[in-house]
Amino acid sequence: MSDIVVSSRVRLARNYDDLPFRSKITREQSEECVQRTLDALRPLPQAYSFYPLRDMEANEKRALMEAHLISPDLMEHEDTGAVLIRADEKIAVMMNEEDHLRIQGFSLGDNLTEAAENAFSIDDVLQEQLSFAFDHQLGYLTACPTNAGTGLRASVMLHLPLLTQAKQMGKMNQLAAKLGLTLRGIYGEGSEAQGNLYQLSNQVTLGKTEKEIIDAVAATARQMAEMENVYRGKALDKDEIGFQDQLYRSYGLLTHARRMPVKEFMNHWSNLRLGASMKVLPVTTALCDELLTLAQPAHIQNAAKTILNEKDQDAFRSALIRGKLNGGT
Amino acid sequence: MSDIVVSSRVRLARNYDDLPFRSKITREQSEECVQRTLDALRPLPQAYSFYPLRDMEANEKRALMEAHLISPDLMEHEDTGAVLIRADEKIAVMMNEEDHLRIQGFSLGDNLTEAAENAFSIDDVLQEQLSFAFDHQLGYLTACPTNAGTGLRASVMLHLPLLTQAKQMGKMNQLAAKLGLTLRGIYGEGSEAQGNLYQLSNQVTLGKTEKEIIDAVAATARQMAEMENVYRGKALDKDEIGFQDQLYRSYGLLTHARRMPVKEFMNHWSNLRLGASMKVLPVTTALCDELLTLAQPAHIQNAAKTILNEKDQDAFRSALIRGKLNGGT
């Protein structure tokens, strides 16, 4: 089950009560937002790295986005946006995104509880020292009213190749919508479901407790994972060799091709992870998940330490994949 | 060069002068044709196997055709057709084909001389004891006038993937035609050029000596092989990694797929042999050539020792290929 839920994430939207929301904020006030956040979090015992976006290469920023540590929205606030990331990448605090703060907690697999603990550990430290915009009726106030209330978005990344193949994703979307949740591609709203990866999260943050939101997302994720498992079993029963054939062909191409475009990679990656999850292929899901991020374009450019044209990127990517897959399981 | 010329073959058309040609021959006379041939060849020291077509399963006959030991034409003369095959498969004497006898000599690689020696060694033994239809002006007389004269057809099997990819086969056809030769797919007239394999042979057998015919086919084969080599060099110069990518992808699929349809196999086989020939892939051309025959449908059915449906054939084929490719180089 936790094989199908790839990762869990909780983000909290917070705004300082003495600074204007994004639409009215001045540059000085944006800098004050960053400064006070850093000062308040300085006493934290773990190692953190601070990245002000304006000092970064385009590629470094894209790599953080590929790792889901920053949002596409933060990318658009290059002059004032910044992020503080814990060394283990389980916590990322974005500053001057749509809200003053977007506190993100992460966890591997099906573990929204741990992701929430990570996010709230930061929220707690900040609340001891600073004051957020809060209304006793509405809860936390946010730049966009849809985020008001708990300010919490719980999301899980689901790998649903068999439900996708069986054209069941329309039904999954309906199921999510009925429960006030939403299903999207892995890089947020409007992005394609590359690699048969979907992000399930709550739409509304108002009128429910944090626990209710997290429980609803977790329960629905488990329900979808169960359905995915049913279809996996059906596929095996119906044509086991055909199923193995599909998985092994992707494995054969990933371990042998000399150029691997990212779009093609995402298709084979889905079979690779399915094969790992079902113990058909000699590879672990952990390695698949590592590869998913490492093979993305900005990560490839960074690893190559030089600007590559597309063909050379594809060659570098294929070498990296072969190294990882032949090296370890 | 001999990498590109996969194999060489010489066949001699002969008819006994006291028996009518195929259109007028009785069943008894056809049996007499077989009997006298067997009697005359009985003293040969090497081991031979005799196959009367009427006693054979459809699949056994097809397997002999896949190995080029009998012709499609012989398959159509099921009641009287027969073949005598030397244990090393370098000689096959077909009886009651279009002509009374079609004596075939084979050789691996670029070696029409050895193929001719093999065929003439049988012709010599028969001529010492029996008399063939022969005219001092026309030479050997045959059922179809196009085979009269020497009765000799020299043919080589060429692997021309780069000339095919570069759409040069039209030109090669013209070159062949200009020299009185013809280019065809590997299973004779009208067959597709599966696996980028072509059979180059002489059209006319009259008005030239045996040596002239053999030399013309051999020289033209070498010319085409040289052109193929030029295009291989060009492909490497233009995009070496792209070229390797193409070869390794086929290798990865052949060593990993769990079902391999024969048509798909032929495409990957072409890349496999190209990779072997250019020492890019860890496989020998000899193994490729062995696999080419073993993976054909009737060979798969025979190896499985049971009637398989198409999907099971494809699974059996993929297991055989993986065994051969992982086992030895």
Side-chain angles (χ1 to χ4, degrees):
Chain A
M1 192 77 80
S2 69
D3 261 349
I4 290 170
V5 182
V6 176
S7 61
S8 304
R9 181 161 39 138
V10 167
R11 72 103 171 109
L12 304 171
R14 298 288 186 261
N15 290 276
Y16 291 115
D17 66 357
D18 60 336
L19 296 176
F21 285 151
R22 183 173 69 168
S23 56
K24 307 272 181 188
I25 202 165
T26 66
R27 189 181 177 101
E28 288 66 38
Q29 289 168 322
S30 290
E31 275 160 19
E32 163 63 19
C33 166
V34 171
Q35 205 47 56
R36 71 166 62 161
T37 307
L38 290 180
D39 289 344
L41 296 177
R42 194 147 290 144
L44 289 175
Q46 300 94 337
Y48 278 79
S49 299
F50 176 62
Y51 302 93
L53 260 60
R54 63 169 165 261
D55 296 346
M56 295 171 78
E57 305 276 348
N59 219 40
E60 293 177 275
K61 286 181 277 193
R62 263 185 246 119
L64 291 181
M65 204 174 79
E66 287 171 355
H68 300 278
L69 293 165
I70 67 172
S71 62
D73 186 280
L74 191 70
M75 292 278 279
E76 283 166 29
H77 297 85
E78 293 204 298
D79 41 343
T80 57
V83 64
L84 186 72
I85 300 171
R86 199 165 82 179
D88 64 359
E89 300 190 345
K90 294 286 178 73
I91 291 176
V93 184
M94 291 189 275
M95 289 158 260
N96 295 318
E97 211 247 22
E98 187 177 296
D99 294 296
H100 295 158
L101 299 181
R102 287 281 177 101
I103 305 166
Q104 298 189 99
F106 303 95
S107 178
L108 295 176
D110 176 18
N111 205 340
L112 276 174
T113 307
E114 189 188 87
E117 282 167 6
N118 286 334
F120 280 109
S121 73
I122 296 296
D123 188 48
D124 290 346
V125 171
L126 291 173
Q127 302 239 24
E128 280 167 22
Q129 306 170 60
L130 299 160
S131 182
F132 289 137
F134 186 85
D135 177 278
H136 282 279
Q137 280 225 309
L138 289 174
Y140 291 100
L141 301 176
T142 52
C144 177
T146 58
N147 292 313
T150 59
L152 182 147
R153 174 159 285 168
S155 62
V156 289
M157 194 196 286
L158 293 158
H159 183 227
L160 305 174
L162 271 288
L163 287 177
T164 307
Q165 227 165 277
K167 305 202 187 306
Q168 296 296 304
M169 293 314 299
K171 274 190 200 163
M172 296 303 117
N173 274 317
Q174 286 167 18
L175 170 66
K178 213 187 291 180
L179 300 162
L181 308 179
T182 180
L183 261 182
R184 294 177 300 180
I186 57 163
Y187 289 115
E189 293 178 56
S191 69
E192 276 178 68
Q194 296 174 326
N196 300 317
L197 284 166
Y198 299 87
Q199 207 173 285
L200 176 72
S201 61
N202 56 306
Q203 279 279 43
V204 179
T205 68
L206 189 73
K208 285 184 178 167
T209 67
E210 283 87 350
K211 189 173 179 309
E212 282 169 345
I213 293 170
I214 288 172
D215 288 350
V217 173
T220 310
R222 277 165 209 164
Q223 202 181 335
M224 290 183 182
E226 267 169 39
M227 286 191 264
E228 168 71 17
N229 264 331
V230 168
Y231 277 86
R232 290 183 184 189
K234 273 190 198 170
L236 270 185
D237 287 348
K238 195 181 157 201
D239 180 8
E240 184 168 356
I241 294 176
F243 192 66
Q244 290 176 343
D245 186 57
Q246 176 189 326
L247 305 184
Y248 269 105
R249 280 170 178 262
S250 283
Y251 185 72
L253 286 171
L254 287 173
T255 51
H256 287 84
R258 260 52 187 171
R259 273 205 194 114
M260 187 51 68
V262 68
K263 264 205 146 171
E264 185 189 353
F265 165 74
M266 292 301 287
N267 292 332
H268 296 311
W269 179 89
S270 181
N271 282 327
L272 185 74
R273 197 178 195 287
L274 181 58
S277 168
M278 299 187 78
K279 308 211 185 311
V280 171
L281 297 178
V283 60
T284 63
T285 55
L287 182 62
C288 295
D289 297 348
E290 186 193 347
L291 211 47
L292 177 64
T293 303
L294 292 182
Q296 298 303 319
H299 276 77
I300 291 295
Q301 291 282 14
N302 284 344
K305 297 191 172 78
T306 170
I307 300 298
L308 300 175
N309 65 30
E310 204 173 308
K311 280 190 172 180
D312 290 343
Q313 266 189 50
D314 294 346
F316 195 96
R317 181 178 294 108
S318 78
L320 180 137
I321 294 166
R322 279 181 281 124
K324 285 280 172 189
L325 291 181
N326 296 330
T329 49
Chain B
M1 193 77 79
S2 68
D3 261 349
I4 291 170
V5 183
V6 176
S7 62
S8 303
R9 182 161 39 140
V10 166
R11 72 106 169 104
L12 304 171
R14 298 289 186 262
N15 290 277
Y16 291 115
D17 64 359
D18 60 336
L19 297 175
F21 285 150
R22 183 173 71 166
S23 56
K24 306 272 182 191
I25 202 166
T26 66
R27 185 177 180 101
E28 289 67 34
Q29 288 167 322
S30 290
E31 276 162 19
E32 163 62 17
C33 166
V34 171
Q35 204 47 58
R36 71 165 65 159
T37 307
L38 290 180
D39 288 345
L41 296 177
R42 192 148 293 146
L44 290 174
Q46 299 93 337
Y48 278 79
S49 300
F50 175 63
Y51 302 93
L53 261 59
R54 63 169 165 265
D55 295 346
M56 296 171 76
E57 304 277 348
N59 219 39
E60 293 176 275
K61 286 182 277 193
R62 264 186 244 120
L64 291 182
M65 205 175 76
E66 287 171 354
H68 300 278
L69 293 165
I70 67 172
S71 62
D73 186 279
L74 191 72
M75 291 280 279
E76 283 166 27
H77 296 86
E78 294 205 299
D79 41 343
T80 57
V83 63
L84 187 71
I85 300 172
R86 199 165 83 178
D88 65 359
E89 301 191 346
K90 294 286 177 73
I91 290 176
V93 184
M94 290 189 276
M95 290 157 260
N96 295 317
E97 210 247 24
E98 187 177 296
D99 294 295
H100 296 158
L101 300 181
R102 288 281 177 102
I103 306 167
Q104 297 190 98
F106 304 94
S107 177
L108 294 177
D110 176 17
N111 205 341
L112 277 174
T113 308
E114 189 187 89
E117 282 168 7
N118 286 334
F120 281 109
S121 72
I122 296 297
D123 188 47
D124 291 347
V125 171
L126 292 173
Q127 301 240 25
E128 279 166 23
Q129 307 170 61
L130 299 159
S131 180
F132 289 137
F134 186 83
D135 176 279
H136 283 279
Q137 280 226 306
L138 289 174
Y140 292 100
L141 301 176
T142 51
C144 176
T146 58
N147 292 314
T150 58
L152 182 145
R153 174 160 285 168
S155 62
V156 289
M157 196 195 285
L158 293 158
H159 184 227
L160 305 175
L162 270 288
L163 287 177
T164 307
Q165 229 165 277
K167 306 202 186 305
Q168 296 297 305
M169 292 315 298
K171 275 191 200 165
M172 297 302 116
N173 274 318
Q174 286 167 19
L175 170 67
K178 211 188 295 181
L179 299 162
L181 308 179
T182 180
L183 261 182
R184 294 177 301 181
I186 57 164
Y187 290 114
E189 293 177 57
S191 69
E192 276 177 68
Q194 296 174 328
N196 301 315
L197 284 166
Y198 299 87
Q199 208 172 285
L200 177 72
S201 61
N202 56 307
Q203 278 279 44
V204 178
T205 68
L206 189 71
K208 284 184 178 166
T209 66
E210 283 87 347
K211 190 174 178 308
E212 283 169 343
I213 293 170
I214 288 171
D215 288 350
V217 173
T220 309
R222 277 165 211 164
Q223 202 180 335
M224 290 184 183
E226 267 168 40
M227 286 191 264
E228 168 71 15
N229 264 330
V230 168
Y231 276 87
R232 290 183 184 189
K234 273 190 199 172
L236 270 185
D237 287 348
K238 196 181 156 202
D239 181 7
E240 184 169 355
I241 295 176
F243 192 66
Q244 291 176 344
D245 185 58
Q246 177 189 325
L247 306 183
Y248 268 105
R249 280 171 178 260
S250 284
Y251 185 73
L253 285 171
L254 287 173
T255 51
H256 288 83
R258 261 52 187 172
R259 275 207 193 111
M260 186 52 68
V262 68
K263 266 203 143 173
E264 186 189 351
F265 166 74
M266 292 301 286
N267 292 332
H268 295 312
W269 180 88
S270 181
N271 282 328
L272 186 74
R273 197 178 195 284
L274 181 58
S277 168
M278 300 187 76
K279 308 209 186 312
V280 171
L281 297 178
V283 60
T284 63
T285 55
L287 182 62
C288 295
D289 296 348
E290 185 193 346
L291 211 47
L292 177 64
T293 303
L294 293 182
Q296 297 303 319
H299 276 78
I300 291 295
Q301 291 282 13
N302 284 346
K305 297 190 172 78
T306 170
I307 300 298
L308 300 175
N309 66 29
E310 204 174 308
K311 280 191 171 182
D312 290 342
Q313 267 188 50
D314 294 345
F316 195 95
R317 181 177 296 108
S318 79
L320 180 136
I321 294 165
R322 279 181 281 124
K324 286 280 173 190
L325 291 181
N326 296 329
T329 51

